[in-house]
Amino acid sequence: MAEILELCNGRITAKIATWGATITSLLVPDSHGNLADVVLGFDTLEPYMKGISPYFGCIVGRVANRIKDGKFTLNGVEYSLAINNGPNSLHGGLKGFDKVVWDVVERKDGEYPSITFQYHSNDGEEGYPGDVIVRATYSLPESTILRLDMEAIAGNKATPINLAQHTYWNLAGHNSGDTLDHSIQIWGKHITPVDENTIPTGEIMPVKDTPFDFTTKHKIGARINDVPGGYDHNYVLDCGGEKNGLKHAAKLKDASSSRTLDLWTDAPGMQFYTANYVDGITGKGGAVYGKHSGVCLETQGFPNAINQPNFPSVVVQPGEKYKHSMLFEFSA
C-alpha cells in the first residue's frame, strides 16, 4: 500500500511517497524564513497512481531518458522495450520505477533523518534483462541540504541502469507561475545535441555562442525562444568544482524570494528540462501548472547511451553496483 512519509530537520521538510520514491512536497525557507513548497506535485497519491503526473518528483528507471526505437543489443541479444514517447522508450517504459511501490527498508529520525527505499526489478520487467535490486536513500545531512543516494545491484545478467530524480523545481513556490525569470548557471561546456525525435546524434557540441551556454548565469527565459520547443537537453558536466566527491552541476535562483538551489552530483550528465509539455495540470491546493512552471535538473548517464558507443557506458555487469548521488543545497 502506497503512503507518504515525512523527513524534517526543523529547517526543511520533505514529503516522500513510497509510490515511485517520489518527492511530493519540499518546504524551504527564504531569506526571511518564509517557507514555500518548491516542487510541483499533487496533494494525494491518487493522481500519481492514475498516471496523470508527468514524472513529478519521482525516480525514473531502469533507464532514465530516451532509448532510440526502444531497442538495444547487449551481449549479442536484442532487447525490445515499450515505445511510450514518439518512436522511443522513455524513463523505463510503461511501468517504470516511478509507477511502482517501493519498500521502506530503513528509517532514521533525529537531527539527521533519512529514509531508505528499495525496489526489486525482475528479469524481463519492461523488457530489460536481469534482476536488479535498487535502493534510494533520502537524507537531511545538514540544516539546508537534501541528499539522495541511489544504488542498484545487477543480479544474473548485464543490464543498462541509469536512474534519475525527476523533480520539477520552482523556487518561488510551486504555485507561483512560470520559471522563466529564474536564473541558472550550469557547469557544462557541452551538450549532446538531438535529432527530431530528441535522440542524441552522438555529437558532443560546445555550448559557446549558443542559447545553451549557461556557463555564466542567465535567466532561463532570456533565450528560450531561440530553442525550438524549449530546453530539453543533456549537458556534459565537465567544469564544476568538487564537494564531498560530487561535482557542482547547477545553481538555480529565484530573484523574487532569493531562494537558491545548488546541485552537486557524481553523474556525467544532466538533463535541463523546462517543463515544455506541462499544460494546465491541476496540482497541490488547486494550483494550475502551465508550460515552463518548473525546471528539471535530472543528473544522469547520457540519453540513449546504450546505443552510443562514444557515450559513457550505462551497462552494469552481474554482481556489480551502480551508484549515483545528488546533493540539493538550499540558501537564500
Side-chain angles (χ1 to χ4, degrees), residues 8 13 44 98 117 135 162 170 173 177 181 191 195-196 208 225 238 246 256 266 274 291 307 319 322 328:
C8 183
T13 303
T44 64
D98 63 302
F117 298 95
R135 280 195 167 201
N162 181 19
N170 188 330
D181 276 342
I191 61 164
D195 66 16
E196 68 279 6
K208 192 170 163 43
N225 293 331
D238 53 10
L246 305 179
S256 68
D266 54 3
T274 47
K291 193 174 183 180
N307 292 312
Y322 160 97
F328 306 94

Side-chain angles (χ1 to χ4, degrees), residues 57-114:
C58 57
I59 291 179
V60 290
R62 181 176 303 195
V63 174
N65 217 298
R66 295 169 179 87
I67 293 179
K68 184 179 181 177
D69 300 331
K71 286 186 166 46
F72 66 91
T73 299
L74 188 56
N75 295 337
V77 181
E78 183 175 88
Y79 294 94
S80 289
L81 314 169
I83 305 295
N84 63 339
N85 177 260
N88 311 313
S89 188
L90 177 70
H91 291 333
L94 299 176
K95 193 177 176 185
F97 294 177
D98 63 302
K99 295 180 180 70
V100 295
V101 177
W102 296 50
D103 296 317
V104 178
V105 291
E106 188 173 31
R107 277 196 86 164
K108 291 179 184 163
D109 295 319
E111 197 180 351
Y112 308 111
S114 66

Side-chain angles (χ1 to χ4, degrees), residues 29-316:
D30 66 7
S31 51
H32 305 291
N34 300 315
L35 293 173
D37 184 350
V38 296
V39 305
L40 273 53
F42 302 102
D43 289 314
T44 64
L45 284 173
E46 189 184 27
Y48 298 98
M49 296 175 76
K50 281 190 167 170
I52 294 164
S53 173
Y55 304 100
F56 285 157
C58 57
I59 291 179
V60 290
R62 181 176 303 195
V63 174
N65 217 298
R66 295 169 179 87
I67 293 179
K68 184 179 181 177
D69 300 331
K71 286 186 166 46
F72 66 91
T73 299
L74 188 56
N75 295 337
V77 181
E78 183 175 88
Y79 294 94
S80 289
L81 314 169
I83 305 295
N84 63 339
N85 177 260
N88 311 313
S89 188
L90 177 70
H91 291 333
L94 299 176
K95 193 177 176 185
F97 294 177
D98 63 302
K99 295 180 180 70
V100 295
V101 177
W102 296 50
D103 296 317
V104 178
V105 291
E106 188 173 31
R107 277 196 86 164
K108 291 179 184 163
D109 295 319
E111 197 180 351
Y112 308 111
S114 66
I115 302 173
T116 300
F117 298 95
Q118 181 171 293
Y119 177 65
H120 185 153
S121 177
N122 291 312
D123 184 7
E125 186 174 317
E126 286 296 318
Y128 287 97
D131 282 292
V132 175
I133 293 173
V134 189
R135 280 195 167 201
T137 300
Y138 289 97
S139 61
L140 301 177
E142 292 178 40
S143 64
T144 53
I145 289 180
L146 171 68
R147 184 177 173 125
L148 171 60
D149 294 288
M150 295 177 274
E151 59 179 59
I153 298 175
N156 50 341
K157 293 178 189 170
T159 181
I161 301 176
N162 181 19
L163 307 179
Q165 217 299 338
H166 209 299
T167 289
Y168 289 69
W169 302 97
N170 188 330
L171 298 179
H174 75 99
N175 55 352
S176 62
D178 71 54
T179 53
L180 298 178
D181 276 342
H182 279 47
S183 65
I184 193 168
Q185 184 172 359
I186 299 173
W187 278 270
K189 291 180 180 172
H190 301 81
I191 61 164
T192 51
V194 292
D195 66 16
E196 68 279 6
N197 293 318
T198 328
I199 290 290
T201 60
E203 187 190 350
I204 307 284
M205 183 186 96
V207 295
K208 192 170 163 43
D209 301 324
T210 75
F212 299 101
D213 189 348
F214 290 95
T215 53
T216 55
K217 181 174 83 171
H218 288 275
K219 280 194 175 180
I220 289 172
R223 301 163 300 178
I224 198 168
N225 293 331
D226 300 329
V227 180
Y231 296 101
D232 190 6
H233 295 76
N234 173 60
Y235 279 72
V236 180
L237 300 175
D238 53 10
C239 55
E242 286 220 354
K243 171 178 185 160
N244 303 337
L246 305 179
K247 299 175 292 194
H248 209 171
K251 180 191 281 281
L252 183 68
K253 181 168 184 176
D254 165 52
S256 68
S257 65
S258 81
R259 277 190 204 88
T260 303
L261 165 59
D262 279 283
L263 172 60
W264 306 76
T265 187
D266 54 3
M270 182 187 79
Q271 193 81 5
F272 173 48
Y273 173 53
T274 47
N276 313 320
Y277 308 112
V278 175
D279 179 23
I281 297 174
T282 302
K284 288 177 279 195
V288 176
Y289 304 137
K291 193 174 183 180
H292 309 315
S293 55
V295 181
C296 299
L297 306 170
E298 307 156 57
T299 67
Q300 61 181 2
F302 294 0
N304 196 38
I306 190 68
N307 292 312
Q308 278 293 352
N310 62 316
F311 285 0
S313 175
V314 293
V315 175
V316 180

Side-chain angles (χ1 to χ4, degrees), residues 4-21:
I4 297 176
L5 308 171
E6 192 171 280
L7 267 184
C8 183
N9 64 0
R11 284 296 296 281
I12 54 182
T13 303
K15 289 186 177 173
I16 307 167
T18 55
W19 181 264

